[in-house]
Amino acid sequence: MRDFWRMSAAGLAISMLAACGGDDSAAGGTPPPPPPPPPVSFSSPAEAAVPENTTGVVYTASADGGTGVIEFKIVGGADADAFTMTSAGALSFNEAPNFDLEQDADGDNVYAVTIEARAGSQSATLALAITVTNLREGIAVTRIATGFTDPVGFARTGEAAQLIVGEREGTAWLIDGKTGARTAVTDIATVAGTELLDIAFGPANAFYKGPILLRKTADSIYLFRPNVGSFIDAGLATGNTTDVTASVYFAANGRLFAAVGDPRGTIAQSDDSFSPGGFGKFFVEGNPYAYASLRSIPLIQAGKGLQAPTALDNFSDQLILFDGGSTKEHEISVFTPTQPSLNFGWPFYEGTVEFQNGAPGGLVTPSLVYPHGDGPREGLGPVGGIVYQGAIPGIAGHFVFADRDGTIWSIPSEKLTDAKLHRVAELERRTADFTPDIGAIDQIVEMTADAQGTLYILDADGEVFRVDPA
Ligand SMILES: [Ca+2]
Ligand SMILES: [Ca+2]
Ligand SMILES: [Ca+2]
Ligand SMILES: [Ca+2]
């Protein structure tokens, strides 16, 4: 019906025009009206692809038809605000696009903008799709080793490019970060009924030099230091260790730190120490000279409220603590370890999401939170990272960290220490930049740096990757 009426109306208009024309001719000498101008149509394509970081023109529109000069402008599209267009048809991003921190409405790095070409009364529109493609930004990732069995953590030893890698069953290896060559640490024996949770290595300026193992049994979590005549150890927690994560770390100044999680959240807020307890706590090395017996490492319980700590790092005199969430948010906190009575908030909060009411005041505010989940801007939990101060321009001065799901994130390091809370919308997802030469980064166990600041990634399937300037 509608088509019928439209055609009828058009037919009627033509008939009337013909009739009028006839009358004018008959009246003598008025020229016929000029033919309508040809319609405007675009001759430039509806899509373009440009590499990230592009400044300047990313697309030049062209069109034919109409009369006079054709002028272009932006008239719509979900990402119209990201662009500027000249009347001559040159389209530019207002800010150089960043593939790793996409700003388009639906987050797929394809920017939608609708442009118009107009000449007099004639116009046409074109829905444009501008795709931003990734640049590696100077990042080269080389697989240097394979074959570690169920690795649980690694750490710098303090010697040049050397790292120590620990395997869950209890063995440890020194690895040359330059060549990937490995040497078994022979004085570390596996112990039935224990599982390695993490490993660290006391550097030359540490009181406790050499390897330190963080072990768990069914009902205890403790540090173990071999190779000192016999051994010394330190209990951290006693109780149900199921699903408990923990981390041990030597800061650059040689001081030892440890953190133990409390996935059930039942005693993370308790002030009880080791027996029973210790879960959900943060520990700092006490003064070893104040103790008569050096068979036990003096550790001071200096913080509480941890759920699933996986890694520690330091940035000048501040510590970075990575605490995974289980359903809502993961959190990364930056703090001065000399602060008394640190409270990281679990189980009152997971990240910034309240879990239980009644939280006390004075909780450590995370520097960074991001959502738990399997979406592109979610993760399974942070597993370490560093403030990168090496030679790769794309990440120089960035805090670079990894998620267990294989995602690598970065954010300018000043945002880590500005005492403000930052969220995932500010994070650059660098996973594509970190594509390795061979192998695949699948499930990251830990990300750390050697004594020279070179970044490494330990993958759950036993691969080790080194990150260099391209
Ligand atoms: Ca980028
Ligand atoms: Ca899009
Ligand atoms: Ca990139
Ligand atoms: Ca892998």
Side-chain angles (χ1 to χ4, degrees):
M1 272 305 264
R2 293 184 57 181
D3 285 348
F4 168 76
W5 283 111
R6 194 174 296 158
M7 287 180 66
S8 296
L12 186 64
I14 290 166
S15 309
M16 288 174 70
L17 197 66
C20 287
D23 289 350
D24 287 348
S25 288
T30 308
V40 168
S41 64
F42 276 92
S43 55
S44 51
E47 52 192 41
V50 295
E52 64 171 318
N53 307 332
T54 297
T55 56
V57 177
V58 297
Y59 175 88
T60 303
S62 60
D64 305 310
T67 49
V69 177
I70 299 177
E71 294 196 332
F72 299 90
K73 66 176 181 183
I74 293 167
V75 293
D79 306 308
D81 291 347
F83 295 95
T84 307
M85 188 169 223
T86 67
S87 61
L91 183 74
S92 309
F93 278 96
N94 294 325
E95 274 179 47
N98 186 346
F99 178 88
D100 315 292
L101 184 51
E102 66 282 352
Q103 298 294 319
D104 61 309
D106 59 357
D108 63 359
N109 269 307
V110 181
Y111 289 73
V113 55
T114 303
I115 58 174
E116 180 194 75
R118 175 173 292 276
S121 62
Q122 302 286 305
S123 68
T125 58
L126 179 65
L128 261 182
I130 307 289
T131 299
V132 173
T133 58
N134 188 45
L135 295 176
R136 299 288 301 267
E137 296 171 271
I139 299 165
V141 179
T142 306
R143 187 175 74 181
I144 59 165
T146 61
F148 291 105
T149 304
D150 204 358
V152 295
F154 68 163
R156 62 174 179 260
T157 65
E159 292 295 320
Q162 193 181 56
L163 302 167
I164 189 166
V165 180
E167 297 176 331
R168 188 172 306 280
E169 155 246 2
T171 46
W173 303 83
L174 292 173
I175 174 169
D176 181 335
K178 291 211 183 321
T179 63
R182 80 193 71 179
T183 320
V185 183
T186 52
D187 50 356
I188 293 177
T190 61
V191 179
T194 71
E195 186 181 308
L196 193 63
L197 288 180
D198 197 12
I199 195 164
F201 193 100
N205 59 347
F207 184 85
Y208 299 104
K209 297 174 180 58
I212 282 199
L213 286 73
L214 178 53
R215 282 177 172 164
K216 80 168 181 178
T217 66
D219 58 7
S220 73
I221 291 178
Y222 64 101
L223 292 175
F224 177 83
R225 182 175 173 235
N227 193 26
V228 285
S230 54
F231 67 89
I232 57 174
D233 65 4
L236 296 177
T238 53
N240 179 3
T241 64
T242 307
D243 297 329
V244 172
T245 61
S247 181
V248 59
Y249 176 71
F250 282 97
N253 63 10
R255 196 167 186 201
L256 177 67
F257 297 92
V260 179
D262 178 19
R264 287 160 284 280
T266 49
I267 54 173
Q269 289 294 325
S270 140
D271 289 317
D272 297 342
S273 59
F274 175 57
S275 188
F279 297 99
K281 304 301 189 297
F282 167 69
F283 302 88
V284 303
E285 178 186 331
N287 177 6
Y289 299 100
Y291 289 75
S293 165
L294 293 181
R295 291 186 60 83
S296 182
I297 301 168
L299 286 170
I300 299 164
Q301 194 169 291
K304 60 184 180 179
L306 296 173
Q307 182 178 183
T310 51
L312 287 153
D313 210 295
N314 74 288
F315 178 40
S316 62
D317 60 349
Q318 295 198 296
L319 274 191
I320 306 172
L321 190 149
F322 303 78
D323 192 14
S326 50
T327 56
K328 299 293 185 192
E329 281 182 348
H330 311 297
E331 60 188 89
I332 296 170
S333 299
V334 179
F335 58 97
T336 308
T338 51
Q339 284 174 255
S341 310
L342 294 158
N343 190 340
F344 298 94
W346 171 253
F348 297 114
Y349 287 92
E350 183 175 295
T352 58
V353 180
E354 189 172 33
F355 251 55
Q356 262 181 32
N357 55 24
L363 301 180
V364 175
T365 304
S367 298
L368 187 57
V369 296
Y370 66 105
H372 185 282
D374 57 8
R377 287 194 163 266
E378 299 172 336
L380 299 177
V383 288
I386 64 155
V387 174
Y388 180 78
Q389 292 165 314
I392 302 172
I395 51 172
H398 276 232
F399 171 57
V400 183
F401 71 98
D403 188 276
R404 191 151 49 87
D405 71 3
T407 305
I408 294 163
W409 301 98
S410 86
I411 187 169
S413 63
E414 57 268 22
K415 294 194 176 183
L416 198 63
T417 53
D418 63 4
K420 292 181 186 143
L421 172 70
H422 297 277
R423 293 182 180 275
V424 73
E426 296 178 76
L427 289 178
E428 300 186 39
R429 192 177 48 218
R430 311 304 291 253
T431 314
D433 293 345
F434 280 76
T435 306
D437 59 342
I438 30 173
I441 296 172
D442 303 294
Q443 275 203 300
I444 301 174
V445 170
E446 194 154 13
M447 170 185 270
T448 197
D450 66 20
Q452 300 167 323
T454 299
L455 195 57
Y456 298 84
I457 295 160
L458 176 62
D459 205 10
D461 59 6
E463 296 177 300
V464 179
F465 301 92
R466 188 187 65 226
V467 184
D468 298 301

